[in-house]
Amino acid sequence: MDSLSLLGITIGILALVGGNWLEGGQLETLLDGPALIIVFGGTVGAVLLQTPGQVFLRALKLLRHVFLPPEYPRADRIKRTVSWAEAARQGGLLGLENLVGRERDPFVKKGLQLLVDGNEPEDIRRMLELELDSHEQRSMQAAKVFESMGGYSPTIGIIGAVMGLIQVMQNLAEPSMLGSGIATAFVSTIYGVGMANLMLLPMANKIKAHVMDESEYREMMIEGLVAISEGENPRLIEIRLRGFL
Amino acid sequence: MDSLSLLGITIGILALVGGNWLEGGQLETLLDGPALIIVFGGTVGAVLLQTPGQVFLRALKLLRHVFLPPEYPRADRIKRTVSWAEAARQGGLLGLENLVGRERDPFVKKGLQLLVDGNEPEDIRRMLELELDSHEQRSMQAAKVFESMGGYSPTIGIIGAVMGLIQVMQNLAEPSMLGSGIATAFVSTIYGVGMANLMLLPMANKIKAHVMDESEYREMMIEGLVAISEGENPRLIEIRLRGFL
Amino acid sequence: MDSLSLLGITIGILALVGGNWLEGGQLETLLDGPALIIVFGGTVGAVLLQTPGQVFLRALKLLRHVFLPPEYPRADRIKRTVSWAEAARQGGLLGLENLVGRERDPFVKKGLQLLVDGNEPEDIRRMLELELDSHEQRSMQAAKVFESMGGYSPTIGIIGAVMGLIQVMQNLAEPSMLGSGIATAFVSTIYGVGMANLMLLPMANKIKAHVMDESEYREMMIEGLVAISEGENPRLIEIRLRGFL
Amino acid sequence: MDSLSLLGITIGILALVGGNWLEGGQLETLLDGPALIIVFGGTVGAVLLQTPGQVFLRALKLLRHVFLPPEYPRADRIKRTVSWAEAARQGGLLGLENLVGRERDPFVKKGLQLLVDGNEPEDIRRMLELELDSHEQRSMQAAKVFESMGGYSPTIGIIGAVMGLIQVMQNLAEPSMLGSGIATAFVSTIYGVGMANLMLLPMANKIKAHVMDESEYREMMIEGLVAISEGENPRLIEIRLRGFL
Amino acid sequence: MDSLSLLGITIGILALVGGNWLEGGQLETLLDGPALIIVFGGTVGAVLLQTPGQVFLRALKLLRHVFLPPEYPRADRIKRTVSWAEAARQGGLLGLENLVGRERDPFVKKGLQLLVDGNEPEDIRRMLELELDSHEQRSMQAAKVFESMGGYSPTIGIIGAVMGLIQVMQNLAEPSMLGSGIATAFVSTIYGVGMANLMLLPMANKIKAHVMDESEYREMMIEGLVAISEGENPRLIEIRLRGFL
């Protein structure tokens, strides 16, 4: 559970609503169904038009990471990698064979399999880096779905405000309606800018941070597996991998 | 048929029009011929001045991909590439000769021809990558035509609005005209910002996603063809290409 | 003659003026000498302060390319390069000596001279690429003069508008002057934003497209000349150069 | 103590408050609790949602560097490195062993240890550069926390202003309240834009400058340690390292 | 003396002041001490907080280049380099020894010394490029001080305007004061935007152009000195260096 995420979203919304309340504003004026339809609908529409289907699904899946962050147990992995290196020095690479079946991370499993199959170090590196790059690129593309939404929502909020103002202008003759009309119009701006800055953009950035974290973790695993296949000294492997901590 | 594109554009426009209607706005106030001429004409003018002829034509051709996405059957291609690798191992590269005529993708056809002609692996890679890069660069240039349009249309919408406001200001003496004059002026802004955010920019991004997809597919084919020309083990080729899935 | 450029600039201006006329605006309200002086003078001043002398002259020279595009006859060049490669195979590199005098493109002439002088392939590549890079960088720098102008003109338009508004505010007591004062003030904005979006930025982009085109053409010539100096098969040279079409 | 930082923040705030006072403004109008809650709370909320926990902590730790800058004594380090090189030439790398214990900079200590252990020059370079890159990336990520805050705060200031304006509009009937209502609303904008431009963004940039400085210093140390392990001439090492001054 | 810089700054300011005068504005309305204090003080404060001390000093030193541009006599240098190459061919590298003392450009002097000392070509290149990169990076950092100021000044101008508007709003009851109050408020915007676009940003760009020019000149010198140390043909050196003209 990422309590910082929860805290952040709570503080952000409380600050806005609370500050407004302290200034004497009423919460009801900030609630406006049609404005929500315009801003949310327009933003979702733009992003659906923009995003290929599987990228959109991946984005929805990654959304979970904002509150339930994935874990990459680096310190633990270094320990295990060093023990693999020692095992390989004593029993040869084939001695790692029974580890493949037990490995749960599919990326590491693939690496171990390539190792056990006796591939050349540079082949192992190339294949794993291809996979890492391709996976990272896709995850980033998915994270950018929220970034795009955060780019669209303020401008669509402005469209909502301008549409509202147009209506108001049509009825300039009734000054009593003026104020509340403008008020309603402005709510779209708040929705658009607020949605982007209190939710969409920060979420996109948190997802990106997790993606970078995963890539660094995988990079560490590649270094370790390649070093084992090069028959490097377990102690040196440990020093090198500690650079990732 | 890319149903997400269709859905996106529909949701976007419905949300705006519907939200406005719920707020009591009338659709007619949002329809304004001269504003459309200003925004659409100005945007098209800017982009014609900016774009070389053949890039503009390519952009129009790629527009189709927004609703009719091209397909790059990776899984199927991997299977076929592996079978080519096996055939080449048994019958030599010349055994692939009859495949060249049957191949429909011109990029793969060129690669197969280079393979059958017995070129060096690094020559095959270099020529195909030259073609990939040059093709990708042109497609991106074409996709950017819509991105540029999405950059110009909001500012031209603002020009339209300011021109409208100038007229309104000339007639400040008749307050009855004021509101509807401003309303008309603001419609340009809605057209400019709306066109950019609900159509042009999302379309440019979808086209870009297809271009990147094609390049990745071609990169996979290069990896496969070069690996065949290096006489690599079909099973290893399969593992490597699976990294692109 | 680049008819697209001419068409673009015509459509753009016609759309704005025509749309405004259809909305009942008068052309005269859009004409304002002082506003033009502010926006044009301010923009030119900023760019003169920013740009070294020879870059500014180069920019003025490249401006011509917007309407009279340079031509890079690739298909024709490939044919000729292949024939050079054949001649070199038969008569040696010295057989190309009489071509040097006839060559009109100074870049290709330099390349041919380096070839005839019997330089090493990598030396030819290095010297020509140095020249290509240095030339491209300067042309880009010149193209960016218009991009910069397109960046300055809207903000200077805003300065003009604010200066106009200040005057208006000084005379709030005479409401009859108010409207026309504001109108004049807004014209600066239109000049600034319009100049940038209908002329300066699209022109900068067209010039950039020509610069990129020239570089790609020169890159093709480098590939061809280096391949000749490596004594490569003329047919292979042709295949490789076709990748640039 | 970074007196420039202190001077900068003082001048910035004094200029704003003083200029406003000279224009006849009262300081009290610029103080508004609810506006502060909205802008500060919203900005902190956005950044907490966005930032992984350990990055946030690192950012708070680096904040100290704005006023208490870290020192990287290059000239002194070059002298010491040259003396190490001389010692290594006379007594071999093992002669450096007793230096390891006394070294206080953990990065240099690790480098010395790798040197004394007799690792290959390229291994030393690789491990130290891995550490440098990984450390720099994390510090930059932390510096960007303040950059992000400086990006969020102006937009959240605008949300505050619009919320304030909405309230004002609700009470258009009481013109006496109008002015002071709008005034309160605008204070949010000042807080948002001022916080970003007088504090958050400059601080982020100063932290970044320190991070770059540290990396350059570490790069210098890598060059020196690798050169020692290559047994290079101490005088040449000195010339090379002086390039970093 | 860079007459273009002088011309640019004069044209820019004359255009604004003159255009305003032609529109019937009075110069006095554009002069406002407190606004100047706010904008200039705030901008300087932000930049002092942001910039390390020595970078700020370097920026002040580079400012001089805007009007007194440094000269890099390339054509002359090529001639001299070729004569050095000839001398080195006849009398060996030691024949260049007496040149070192007479050389005035410290960068070239260092290069000549490295050459005379008989260092390896790649060592000479590495050391000189290290120095070039490090020097370019610092000069760019200094040039960016003005770019940053040009980024801060418009937003601080807006803070000044909003502070002015707040005051105006406090006194809505006295409409006679309204106009001139708003006018004063807007002057901050003009100062902020004008300072950035007519001075700070163009100056930053001119300084950057000089930095790039110096780096290209130094790059040319590196090519020449390395070529001499490789004992290359003086004529070939001349052709290669001419690529930099």
Side-chain angles (χ1 to χ4, degrees):
Chain A
M1 186 65 203
D2 185 335
S3 52
L4 227 56
S5 287
L6 209 68
L7 196 68
I9 213 164
T10 313
I11 288 183
I13 292 176
L14 270 190
L16 260 63
V17 172
N20 187 43
W21 177 79
L22 284 174
E23 270 180 343
Q26 288 140 308
L27 193 55
E28 305 93 75
T29 34
L30 298 182
L31 298 178
D32 189 70
L36 190 67
I37 289 174
I38 290 172
V39 175
F40 191 73
T43 304
V44 166
V47 126
L48 284 178
L49 173 54
Q50 161 174 319
T51 318
Q54 69 280 46
V55 177
F56 193 74
L57 291 177
R58 218 176 290 129
L60 291 180
K61 250 173 80 186
L62 284 182
L63 194 52
R64 181 172 44 98
H65 287 181
V66 174
F67 296 103
L68 295 169
E71 274 182 47
Y72 306 110
R74 298 186 189 202
D76 179 61
R77 272 301 189 183
I78 292 177
K79 223 180 294 171
R80 270 202 275 167
T81 307
V82 172
S83 76
W84 295 346
E86 280 157 358
R89 283 217 148 188
Q90 290 161 1
L93 289 170
L94 280 175
L96 301 173
E97 190 144 35
N98 58 332
L99 290 169
V100 181
R102 275 186 278 150
E103 179 55 51
R104 292 239 296 264
D105 179 334
F107 182 78
V108 181
K109 185 177 198 137
K110 183 173 182 178
L112 274 172
Q113 185 64 60
L114 287 166
L115 194 66
V116 168
D117 288 354
N119 288 289
E120 293 296 312
E122 62 266 37
D123 280 338
I124 298 179
R125 181 183 291 280
R126 199 162 47 153
M127 289 196 210
L128 291 180
E129 278 185 349
L130 208 84
E131 173 126 358
L132 182 156
D133 286 350
S134 155
H135 180 81
E136 179 184 316
Q137 209 180 335
R138 279 169 207 191
S139 300
M140 275 298 173
Q141 221 184 343
K144 276 179 189 159
V145 167
F146 300 105
E147 197 174 276
S148 292
M149 289 179 82
Y152 289 128
S153 80
T155 46
I156 291 172
I158 285 171
I159 295 180
V162 175
M163 290 199 309
L165 289 176
I166 288 178
Q167 267 175 259
V168 170
M169 294 299 163
Q170 302 277 357
N171 306 308
L172 271 190
E174 309 162 62
S176 65
M177 296 288 295
L178 205 62
S180 95
I182 294 178
T184 311
F186 282 175
V187 171
S188 293
T189 313
I190 295 181
Y191 286 180
V193 180
M195 215 179 267
N197 287 280
L198 294 182
M199 287 188 266
L200 295 166
L201 295 175
M203 281 172 171
N205 284 324
K206 178 148 274 176
I207 293 173
K208 276 185 184 177
H210 287 312
V211 173
M212 292 316 295
D213 198 26
E214 185 183 23
S215 288
E216 228 186 22
Y217 170 74
R218 289 186 161 194
E219 205 121 20
M220 186 186 89
M221 291 312 302
I222 294 178
E223 287 297 326
L225 291 164
V226 168
I228 294 176
S229 85
E230 282 170 338
E232 210 174 277
N233 184 321
R235 213 178 86 72
L236 259 187
I237 294 181
E238 186 170 4
I239 294 180
R240 204 196 299 177
L241 296 194
R242 288 212 166 279
F244 284 98
L245 281 185
Chain B
M1 186 66 203
D2 186 333
S3 52
L4 225 57
S5 287
L6 210 67
L7 195 69
I9 212 165
T10 312
I11 288 182
I13 292 176
L14 270 189
L16 260 63
V17 173
N20 188 42
W21 177 80
L22 284 174
E23 271 180 344
Q26 288 139 310
L27 193 54
E28 305 94 76
T29 34
L30 297 182
L31 298 177
D32 188 71
L36 190 67
I37 289 174
I38 290 172
V39 175
F40 191 73
T43 304
V44 167
V47 125
L48 284 178
L49 174 54
Q50 162 174 319
T51 318
Q54 68 280 45
V55 176
F56 193 74
L57 291 177
R58 218 176 290 130
L60 291 180
K61 250 173 81 186
L62 284 182
L63 194 51
R64 184 173 41 100
H65 287 181
V66 174
F67 295 102
L68 295 168
E71 276 182 45
Y72 306 109
R74 299 187 187 200
D76 179 60
R77 272 301 190 184
I78 292 177
K79 222 180 293 170
R80 271 202 274 166
T81 306
V82 172
S83 76
W84 295 347
E86 280 157 359
R89 283 219 147 186
Q90 289 161 3
L93 289 171
L94 281 175
L96 301 175
E97 190 144 36
N98 59 332
L99 290 169
V100 180
R102 274 186 278 151
E103 180 55 50
R104 292 239 296 264
D105 179 333
F107 182 78
V108 181
K109 185 180 199 136
K110 183 174 182 177
L112 274 172
Q113 184 66 60
L114 287 167
L115 193 66
V116 168
D117 288 355
N119 289 288
E120 293 296 311
E122 63 266 38
D123 281 337
I124 299 179
R125 181 183 290 279
R126 197 162 49 151
M127 290 196 209
L128 292 180
E129 278 185 348
L130 208 83
E131 173 126 356
L132 182 156
D133 285 349
S134 155
H135 180 80
E136 179 184 315
Q137 208 181 337
R138 279 168 205 191
S139 301
M140 275 300 172
Q141 222 185 343
K144 275 179 189 159
V145 167
F146 299 105
E147 197 174 277
S148 292
M149 289 180 81
Y152 289 128
S153 80
T155 48
I156 291 173
I158 285 170
I159 295 181
V162 175
M163 290 199 309
L165 289 177
I166 289 178
Q167 268 175 258
V168 171
M169 294 298 164
Q170 301 276 356
N171 305 307
L172 271 191
E174 308 161 63
S176 65
M177 295 288 294
L178 205 63
S180 96
I182 295 178
T184 311
F186 281 175
V187 171
S188 293
T189 312
I190 295 181
Y191 286 0
V193 180
M195 216 179 265
N197 287 281
L198 295 182
M199 286 188 268
L200 294 165
L201 294 176
M203 281 173 171
N205 284 325
K206 178 148 276 176
I207 293 173
K208 276 185 184 177
H210 287 312
V211 173
M212 291 317 294
D213 198 26
E214 185 183 22
S215 287
E216 227 187 24
Y217 171 73
R218 289 185 162 195
E219 205 120 22
M220 185 186 90
M221 290 311 303
I222 294 177
E223 287 297 326
L225 290 164
V226 168
I228 293 176
S229 85
E230 281 170 339
E232 209 174 279
N233 184 322
R235 214 178 87 72
L236 259 188
I237 295 181
E238 187 170 3
I239 294 180
R240 205 197 299 179
L241 297 194
R242 289 212 167 278
F244 284 99
L245 281 185
Chain C
M1 185 67 204
D2 187 334
S3 50
L4 226 58
S5 287
L6 209 68
L7 195 70
I9 212 166
T10 313
I11 289 182
I13 292 176
L14 270 189
L16 259 62
V17 173
N20 187 42
W21 177 79
L22 284 174
E23 271 181 344
Q26 288 140 310
L27 192 54
E28 306 94 75
T29 33
L30 297 183
L31 299 177
D32 188 71
L36 190 67
I37 288 173
I38 290 171
V39 176
F40 191 73
T43 304
V44 167
V47 126
L48 283 178
L49 173 54
Q50 163 174 319
T51 318
Q54 67 280 45
V55 176
F56 194 73
L57 291 176
R58 217 176 291 129
L60 291 180
K61 249 174 82 186
L62 283 182
L63 194 53
R64 183 172 45 99
H65 287 181
V66 174
F67 296 102
L68 294 169
E71 275 183 45
Y72 306 109
R74 299 189 187 199
D76 179 60
R77 273 299 189 185
I78 293 177
K79 224 180 290 169
R80 271 203 273 168
T81 306
V82 172
S83 77
W84 295 347
E86 280 157 0
R89 282 218 148 186
Q90 289 161 2
L93 289 172
L94 281 175
L96 300 175
E97 189 144 37
N98 58 332
L99 289 170
V100 179
R102 276 186 277 151
E103 180 54 51
R104 293 236 298 263
D105 179 333
F107 182 78
V108 181
K109 186 179 196 134
K110 183 174 182 178
L112 273 172
Q113 185 65 59
L114 287 167
L115 192 65
V116 167
D117 288 355
N119 289 290
E120 291 297 310
E122 63 267 35
D123 281 337
I124 299 179
R125 181 184 291 279
R126 197 163 46 153
M127 290 196 209
L128 292 179
E129 278 184 349
L130 208 83
E131 173 126 357
L132 183 156
D133 285 350
S134 156
H135 179 81
E136 179 184 314
Q137 208 180 336
R138 280 168 205 192
S139 300
M140 275 300 173
Q141 220 185 345
K144 275 180 191 159
V145 168
F146 300 105
E147 197 174 278
S148 291
M149 289 179 81
Y152 289 128
S153 80
T155 46
I156 291 173
I158 285 170
I159 295 181
V162 175
M163 289 199 310
L165 288 177
I166 288 177
Q167 267 175 258
V168 170
M169 294 300 165
Q170 301 277 355
N171 304 306
L172 270 190
E174 308 161 65
S176 65
M177 296 288 295
L178 203 62
S180 95
I182 295 179
T184 311
F186 283 175
V187 170
S188 293
T189 313
I190 295 182
Y191 286 0
V193 180
M195 217 180 263
N197 288 280
L198 294 181
M199 285 188 270
L200 294 166
L201 294 176
M203 281 172 171
N205 284 324
K206 178 149 276 175
I207 292 173
K208 276 186 186 176
H210 288 313
V211 173
M212 292 315 296
D213 198 26
E214 185 183 23
S215 287
E216 226 186 24
Y217 170 73
R218 289 186 161 194
E219 203 122 21
M220 185 186 91
M221 290 312 302
I222 294 177
E223 287 296 326
L225 291 164
V226 168
I228 293 177
S229 85
E230 281 170 339
E232 208 175 279
N233 185 321
R235 215 179 87 71
L236 259 188
I237 295 182
E238 187 171 3
I239 294 180
R240 204 198 297 180
L241 296 193
R242 289 211 168 281
F244 284 99
L245 283 184
Chain D
M1 184 68 202
D2 186 336
S3 52
L4 227 56
S5 286
L6 209 68
L7 195 69
I9 213 165
T10 314
I11 288 183
I13 291 175
L14 270 190
L16 259 63
V17 173
N20 187 43
W21 177 79
L22 284 174
E23 271 180 343
Q26 288 140 309
L27 192 56
E28 306 93 75
T29 34
L30 297 183
L31 298 177
D32 189 69
L36 191 67
I37 289 174
I38 291 172
V39 175
F40 191 73
T43 304
V44 167
V47 126
L48 284 179
L49 174 53
Q50 162 174 319
T51 317
Q54 69 280 47
V55 177
F56 193 74
L57 291 177
R58 217 177 290 129
L60 291 180
K61 248 172 81 184
L62 284 182
L63 194 53
R64 180 173 46 100
H65 286 181
V66 173
F67 296 103
L68 295 168
E71 274 183 47
Y72 306 109
R74 298 188 188 199
D76 179 61
R77 272 301 189 183
I78 292 177
K79 223 179 292 171
R80 270 202 276 167
T81 306
V82 172
S83 75
W84 295 347
E86 280 157 359
R89 282 216 149 189
Q90 289 162 1
L93 290 170
L94 280 175
L96 302 174
E97 190 143 34
N98 59 332
L99 290 168
V100 179
R102 275 186 278 150
E103 179 55 52
R104 293 239 295 263
D105 179 333
F107 182 77
V108 181
K109 186 178 197 135
K110 182 172 183 181
L112 274 172
Q113 184 65 59
L114 287 166
L115 194 65
V116 168
D117 289 355
N119 288 289
E120 292 297 311
E122 62 266 37
D123 280 338
I124 298 179
R125 180 183 292 281
R126 199 161 50 152
M127 288 195 211
L128 292 180
E129 278 184 349
L130 208 85
E131 173 127 358
L132 182 157
D133 286 349
S134 155
H135 181 79
E136 178 185 316
Q137 209 180 335
R138 278 167 207 194
S139 300
M140 276 298 171
Q141 220 185 345
K144 275 179 190 159
V145 168
F146 301 105
E147 197 174 277
S148 291
M149 288 179 82
Y152 289 128
S153 81
T155 46
I156 291 172
I158 286 171
I159 296 180
V162 175
M163 289 199 310
L165 288 177
I166 289 177
Q167 268 176 259
V168 171
M169 295 298 164
Q170 302 277 357
N171 304 308
L172 271 189
E174 310 161 62
S176 65
M177 296 288 295
L178 205 62
S180 93
I182 295 179
T184 311
F186 282 175
V187 171
S188 294
T189 313
I190 294 181
Y191 286 179
V193 180
M195 215 179 267
N197 287 280
L198 294 182
M199 287 187 268
L200 295 166
L201 296 176
M203 281 172 171
N205 284 323
K206 177 148 275 175
I207 293 173
K208 277 185 184 177
H210 287 312
V211 174
M212 291 315 296
D213 198 26
E214 184 182 25
S215 288
E216 227 187 24
Y217 170 75
R218 290 186 160 193
E219 204 121 21
M220 186 185 88
M221 291 312 302
I222 294 178
E223 287 295 326
L225 291 165
V226 168
I228 294 176
S229 86
E230 281 169 340
E232 210 176 278
N233 185 321
R235 214 178 84 72
L236 259 187
I237 294 181
E238 186 170 6
I239 294 180
R240 205 196 298 178
L241 295 194
R242 288 210 167 280
F244 284 99
L245 282 184
Chain E
M1 184 67 206
D2 187 334
S3 51
L4 226 57
S5 287
L6 210 67
L7 195 69
I9 212 166
T10 314
I11 288 183
I13 292 176
L14 270 189
L16 259 64
V17 173
N20 188 42
W21 178 79
L22 284 173
E23 270 180 345
Q26 287 141 309
L27 192 54
E28 306 93 75
T29 33
L30 298 183
L31 299 177
D32 189 70
L36 190 67
I37 289 174
I38 291 172
V39 175
F40 191 74
T43 304
V44 167
V47 127
L48 284 178
L49 173 54
Q50 163 174 317
T51 318
Q54 68 280 47
V55 177
F56 193 73
L57 291 178
R58 217 177 290 130
L60 291 181
K61 248 174 81 186
L62 283 182
L63 194 52
R64 179 174 47 99
H65 287 181
V66 174
F67 295 103
L68 295 168
E71 274 182 47
Y72 306 110
R74 299 188 187 199
D76 179 60
R77 272 300 189 184
I78 292 178
K79 224 179 291 169
R80 271 203 273 168
T81 308
V82 171
S83 76
W84 295 347
E86 279 157 358
R89 281 218 150 187
Q90 289 161 2
L93 289 171
L94 281 175
L96 300 175
E97 190 144 36
N98 59 332
L99 290 168
V100 179
R102 275 186 278 151
E103 180 54 52
R104 295 236 296 265
D105 179 333
F107 183 77
V108 181
K109 186 179 197 134
K110 182 173 183 179
L112 273 172
Q113 185 65 59
L114 288 166
L115 193 64
V116 168
D117 288 354
N119 288 289
E120 292 296 310
E122 63 268 36
D123 280 339
I124 299 180
R125 179 184 293 280
R126 199 163 47 152
M127 289 195 209
L128 292 180
E129 279 184 348
L130 208 84
E131 172 126 0
L132 183 156
D133 286 350
S134 156
H135 180 80
E136 179 185 315
Q137 210 181 334
R138 279 167 205 194
S139 300
M140 276 298 174
Q141 220 186 345
K144 275 179 191 159
V145 168
F146 300 105
E147 198 174 277
S148 292
M149 289 179 81
Y152 288 128
S153 81
T155 45
I156 291 173
I158 286 171
I159 295 181
V162 175
M163 289 199 310
L165 288 177
I166 288 177
Q167 269 175 258
V168 171
M169 295 298 166
Q170 301 276 357
N171 304 306
L172 270 190
E174 309 160 63
S176 65
M177 295 289 294
L178 203 63
S180 95
I182 294 179
T184 310
F186 282 176
V187 170
S188 293
T189 313
I190 295 181
Y191 287 0
V193 180
M195 215 179 266
N197 287 280
L198 294 182
M199 286 188 268
L200 295 166
L201 295 176
M203 281 173 171
N205 284 323
K206 178 148 275 175
I207 293 173
K208 276 187 186 176
H210 287 313
V211 174
M212 292 315 295
D213 198 26
E214 185 182 25
S215 287
E216 227 187 23
Y217 170 75
R218 290 186 161 192
E219 203 121 21
M220 186 186 89
M221 290 313 300
I222 294 177
E223 287 295 326
L225 291 164
V226 169
I228 293 175
S229 87
E230 281 170 341
E232 210 175 278
N233 185 322
R235 215 179 84 71
L236 258 188
I237 294 181
E238 187 172 3
I239 295 181
R240 204 197 298 179
L241 296 194
R242 289 210 168 281
F244 284 98
L245 284 184

